[in-house]
């Protein structure tokens, strides 16, 4: 005689790791309530469900209305690693939207989030830095980081963090240093960035060179770059096989050599031959930054004398038929005028 048997397995469309969503408008209020539940498994499942649900921008707006960011702020200090992991992941998703970034500022979440820079769990630190980097792409976020004096902490983290997290830190510092460079200078940022120019990763080398360019905008930064011998390593990077590295290195050289001290430090590092060789680089960014660096260098009599040998090579870049990029053509015209100037 046949008997019925009930399987112990869940139906294939049920995920036991996620909280079941309530219908319609009740979904987010229910998840927000579960985020504050004393039961660990309930908090974990709510966060798992939230990670998927918030990929829809419309859901993010609804989540902000029911106070999800405030609940997530509380969970940043949770003792469970999985909760902190998923909390920072949700915050990263929210930070990708303008209304979410505004909520970060309104809820004063930057400082509580920054405390996870020291978390023992790698993925928690990574998610944290990803969220902070996304927030700092916009002025209020970068301003919040500067006001919280977090730039020195990020500089110190560059010395000890794993490589993929270093990339996010370098990006965050880039956005912050567009507003404030002094904090990074005092924290030893120029020394740290200069050391990273020798890193095996081309991405990190390029980002370090870009950050040196940012840090060299004020006069103190240019002088610090000369003191740290940053130009020696930057000149070496002009021969790098990676296009982005060459572009950022030439841009940093162009910024530092605005001062007389920078010009002669670059000449001492023998910058002219590799710069001239990049005038015909396939990348327009490399060509533009290189010609700008040549222009600033040629203001020094010693450099102008040497660059007169190569003026024909630069003059070619003023030709519309041979140089498609207008910015490069204009830069080349200025360079030729400076090089051929006679007192």
């Amino acid at each position: 005689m046949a008997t019925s048997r009930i399987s112990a397995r869940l139906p294939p469309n049920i995920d036991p790791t996620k909280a079941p969503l309530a219908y319609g408008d009740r979904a987010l209020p229910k998840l927000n309530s579960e985020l504050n539940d004393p039961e660990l498994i309930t908090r974990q499942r709510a966060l798992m469900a939230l990670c998927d649900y918030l990929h829809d921008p419309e859901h993010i707006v609804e989540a902000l209305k029911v106070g999800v960011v405030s609940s997530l702020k509380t969970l940043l200090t949770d003792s469970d690693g999985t909760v902190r992991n998923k909390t920072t992941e949700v915050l990263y998703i929210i930070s990708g939207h303008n209304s979410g970034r505004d909520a970060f500022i309104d809820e004063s979440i930057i400082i509580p989030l920054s405390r996870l820079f020291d978390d023992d769990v790698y993925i928690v630190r990574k998610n944290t830095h990803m969220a902070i980097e996304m927030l700092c792409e916009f002025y209020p976020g970068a301003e919040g980081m500067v006001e919280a004096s977090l730039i020195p902490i990020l500089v110190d983290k560059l010395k000890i963090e794993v490589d993929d997290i270093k990339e996010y830190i370098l990006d965050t510092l880039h956005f912050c240093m567009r507003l404030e460079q002094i904090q990074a200078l005092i924290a030893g940022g120029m020394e740290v960035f200069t050391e990273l120019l020798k890193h095996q990763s081309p991405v990190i080398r390029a980002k370090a060179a870009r950050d040196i360019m940012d840090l060299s905008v004020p006069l103190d930064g240019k002088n610090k770059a000369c003191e740290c011998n940053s130009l020696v390593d930057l000149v070496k990077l002009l021969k790098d096989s990676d296009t982005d590295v060459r572009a950022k290195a030439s841009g940093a050289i162009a910024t530092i050599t605005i001062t007389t001290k920078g010009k002669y430090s670059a000449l001492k590092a023998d910058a002219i031959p590799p710069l001239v060789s990049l005038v015909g680089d396939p990348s327009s960014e490399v060509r533009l930054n290189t010609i700008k660096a040549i222009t600033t260098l040629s203001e020094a009599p010693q450099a102008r004398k040497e660059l007169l040998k190569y003026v024909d090579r630069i003059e070619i870049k003023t030709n519309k038929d041979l140089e498609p990029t207008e910015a490069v053509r204009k830069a080349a015209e200025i360079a030729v005028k400076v090089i051929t100037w006679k007192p």
Side-chain angles (χ1 to χ4, degrees):
M1 176 178 162
T3 58
S4 61
R5 179 176 297 176
I6 299 175
S7 172
R9 295 183 180 181
L10 290 169
N13 61 335
I14 298 295
D15 187 347
T17 66
K18 297 176 185 175
L21 292 174
Y23 181 74
D25 294 342
R26 285 299 305 157
L28 282 164
K30 181 174 181 290
L31 284 175
N32 188 42
S33 174
E34 290 172 345
L35 291 177
N36 298 287
D37 195 283
E39 191 72 32
L40 174 60
I41 189 65
T42 303
R43 298 198 301 275
Q44 290 176 340
R45 294 177 71 195
L47 285 164
M48 294 286 189
L50 206 55
C51 282
D52 288 343
Y53 196 66
L54 292 186
H55 279 290
D56 186 333
E58 291 183 4
H59 295 162
I60 289 180
V61 175
E62 295 171 25
L64 299 178
K65 290 178 181 177
V66 300
V68 164
V69 172
S70 179
S71 299
L72 293 171
K73 181 180 177 181
T74 303
L75 291 178
L76 289 173
T77 57
D78 198 282
S79 59
D80 181 69
T82 301
V83 170
R84 297 197 306 278
N85 168 22
K86 287 300 172 181
T87 299
T88 51
E89 184 178 337
V90 173
L91 287 171
Y92 170 63
I93 295 169
I94 292 174
S95 69
H97 299 269
N98 193 50
S99 54
R101 291 185 290 270
D102 290 341
F104 273 35
I105 304 301
D106 294 339
E107 292 288 341
S108 303
I109 208 169
I110 290 178
I111 292 177
L113 189 57
S114 69
R115 294 191 183 108
L116 294 183
F117 290 165
D118 297 317
D119 201 277
D120 295 333
V121 182
Y122 155 76
I123 193 63
V124 173
R125 298 198 310 276
K126 183 177 180 180
N127 288 339
T128 299
H129 282 290
M130 288 169 66
I132 289 287
E133 185 270 337
M134 184 68 74
L135 179 64
C136 288
E137 287 187 24
F138 298 85
Y139 181 87
E143 186 180 38
M145 290 288 289
V146 171
E147 290 176 354
S149 300
L150 291 172
I151 292 178
I153 294 173
L154 290 173
V155 171
D156 287 339
K157 289 298 174 185
L158 280 175
K159 303 173 186 176
I160 58 174
E161 267 296 0
V162 296
D163 289 349
D164 56 341
I165 293 180
K166 281 179 183 175
E167 294 177 18
Y168 293 110
I169 296 175
L170 287 166
D171 284 339
T172 302
L173 286 169
H174 164 61
F175 297 124
C176 291
M177 287 189 297
R178 292 191 296 188
L179 305 180
E180 165 65 42
Q181 300 89 23
I182 302 304
Q183 285 187 28
L185 278 172
I186 294 173
M190 188 64 75
E191 292 88 341
V192 175
F193 299 150
T194 301
E195 187 62 32
L196 289 176
L197 294 176
K198 304 168 187 174
H199 199 279
Q200 60 183 3
S201 166
V203 175
I204 290 179
R205 292 199 301 272
K207 291 179 187 293
R210 177 200 59 194
D211 284 10
I212 286 176
M213 180 165 50
D214 295 332
L215 199 50
S216 299
V217 170
L219 177 60
D220 289 342
K222 294 178 179 68
N223 291 336
K224 192 65 177 178
C226 296
E227 291 172 17
C228 296
N229 292 321
S230 302
L231 283 163
V232 174
D233 292 309
L234 288 168
V235 169
K236 291 177 182 176
L237 291 185
L238 294 175
K239 300 177 182 178
D240 199 280
S241 59
D242 186 86
T243 300
D244 203 31
V245 173
R246 297 196 304 275
K248 298 302 185 286
S250 55
I253 292 171
T255 304
I256 296 168
T257 53
I258 289 173
T259 64
T260 302
K261 187 176 181 180
K263 289 175 176 54
Y264 285 98
S265 295
L267 289 173
K268 188 177 179 182
D270 200 23
I272 290 179
L275 281 172
V276 171
S277 68
L278 290 181
V279 170
D281 195 274
S283 166
S284 60
E285 184 183 0
V286 175
R287 296 197 303 275
L288 179 61
N289 288 344
T290 296
I291 292 172
K292 286 182 176 179
I294 287 173
T295 304
T296 55
L297 271 176
S298 60
E299 292 170 356
Q302 181 184 339
R304 188 161 59 247
K305 182 179 178 181
E306 186 174 349
L307 284 165
L308 279 169
K309 305 172 189 174
Y310 307 105
V311 72
D312 292 342
R313 197 180 298 187
I314 299 168
E315 199 165 13
I316 289 173
K317 293 300 172 182
T318 63
N319 190 320
K320 190 174 182 180
D321 296 328
L322 301 175
E323 175 52 61
T325 308
E326 184 180 358
V328 175
R329 292 198 301 271
K330 286 184 178 179
E333 289 173 6
I334 296 169
V336 170
K337 287 179 182 177
V338 175
I339 293 169
T340 57
W341 177 83
K342 291 181 181 179

